[in-house]
Amino acid sequence: MTIRVLLADDQALLRGTFRILVDSAADMEVVAEAATGREAVELARSHRADLILMDIRMPDLDGLAATRLITEDENLAGVKILILTTFENDEYVAEALRAGASGFLGKGINPDELLDAIRVVATGDSLLSPAATRSLINRFLSQP
């Protein structure tokens, strides 16, 4: 089975790099690229990717709002979203999970970890970076 991936990031150089990496994996292919959150939603509807690699900070519509629109759309049921961002803060992690994302990673991961994360999330499992996991644990433990 080939995992169909949609790339959503406002930086063309990063999208190009992610495309080369994803297309290098025998079990994956990039089916579309979006430079804005709104474009990600439109391309999700027209290309039916299995997984969307979504940046948070994008023009027009941010990645969190785009994630929410995609996960709430009954016609896109089953599409998984893996957030990949430079900003691994508590608020973004919680908001991404509330929006329906299945994974959350920082852009500092190595290429093999990203490919493995795509595979994990595409199969229906959830995945958080160590920093995001630590943040959620601390948040949980701080509550009465």
Side-chain angles (χ1 to χ4, degrees):
M1 178 186 125
T2 300
I3 302 169
R4 297 169 42 84
V5 179
L6 188 160
L7 304 174
D9 196 298
D10 61 328
Q11 296 181 13
L13 179 60
L14 284 179
R15 283 195 321 273
T17 303
F18 293 147
R19 175 180 278 279
I20 291 167
L21 177 64
V22 170
D23 284 342
S24 74
D27 59 340
M28 297 177 201
E29 70 172 322
V30 173
V31 295
E33 294 182 29
T36 70
R38 192 160 316 282
E39 191 177 8
V41 174
E42 292 168 6
L43 291 173
R45 291 181 177 137
S46 63
H47 284 81
R48 292 293 305 181
D50 299 309
L51 180 136
I52 300 171
L53 195 58
M54 182 82 73
D55 187 23
I56 289 180
R57 290 191 176 179
M58 291 186 288
D60 189 26
L61 184 70
D62 70 36
L64 297 173
T67 296
R68 191 172 297 103
L69 289 172
I70 292 165
T71 59
E72 291 175 352
D73 187 332
E74 292 177 6
N75 294 321
L76 296 174
V79 174
K80 306 297 182 199
I81 298 181
L82 175 57
I83 300 289
L84 186 63
T85 183
T86 305
F87 308 97
E88 287 188 81
N89 63 49
D90 292 358
E91 184 179 323
Y92 281 155
V93 174
E95 188 70 23
L97 296 175
R98 283 189 200 104
S102 298
F104 191 99
L105 294 173
K107 287 183 178 175
I109 64 170
N110 72 47
D112 289 335
E113 288 175 318
L114 179 57
L115 293 177
D116 288 342
I118 290 170
R119 290 180 185 104
V120 166
V121 172
T123 63
D125 287 330
S126 297
L127 180 84
L128 298 175
S129 69
T133 302
R134 184 174 45 258
S135 172
L136 285 177
I137 290 170
N138 289 337
R139 190 177 197 163
F140 176 77
L141 292 176
S142 70
Q143 307 222 351

